[in-house]
Amino acid sequence: EDVERQHRTYATNSARFNEILNDIQQAKKTVAHMQSTMESMRKHLEHESAEKWFSIDASLHEIVSVLSSYARAQSVSLRVKGEKGIRIHGDEVAFTQMISNIISNAVESFPVHSSGRSDLQRSVIIDMTKDEKCVNIRIQDTGSVPPVRSGTGRELSVPHR
């Protein structure tokens, strides 16, 4: 009798234990799904919150500050000119990455002489203007150009809201 009662107790406890394990597994899956959903929402909100009003002039000066030592090492001067106080609504990080890449490409486009020195008159000029509908950013290099290239000016138009 005692053995039979112990077996029933053991079977009942074992079944209950399995139910608890199943509940824990289900809870883990639910938590993982909730975490995944929250992570997706966070990424979405981060992206949206990255879009804000920012000063193009301040961003361009920051980019030039970051790239200036690299440009000097290549004997290239960087200069920002144009209208001041232009603000746009957008992703400042993406804007900075894009413009930095274009300026870096302009710096790298200059030929290096066989002596290892570059043309000392080289410069990259970043000019910005604004009209009713657009902000125009012109990135132009003014140094010597390899004969195979047709020109070095690059233009980027950013819609203005």
Side-chain angles (χ1 to χ4, degrees), residues 35-53:
Q35 286 175 329
S36 173
T37 301
M38 289 172 63
E39 181 67 16
S40 294
M41 289 173 61
R42 183 188 63 78
K43 286 181 181 177
H44 178 71
L45 291 173
E46 260 183 17
H47 181 70
E48 284 188 10
S49 67
E51 292 188 6
K52 62 181 181 178
W53 286 98

Side-chain angles (χ1 to χ4, degrees), residues 104-139:
S104 293
N105 288 345
V107 169
E108 291 170 1
S109 72
F110 290 104
V112 177
H113 296 285
S114 59
S115 66
R117 294 195 50 157
S118 301
D119 182 321
L120 297 178
Q121 303 301 316
R122 303 177 327 149
S123 64
V124 174
I125 300 168
I126 303 100
D127 187 17
M128 60 190 146
T129 58
K130 176 179 119 178
D131 60 29
E132 290 179 19
K133 297 181 182 181
C134 284
V135 172
N136 296 299
I137 300 171
R138 176 180 288 206
I139 300 172

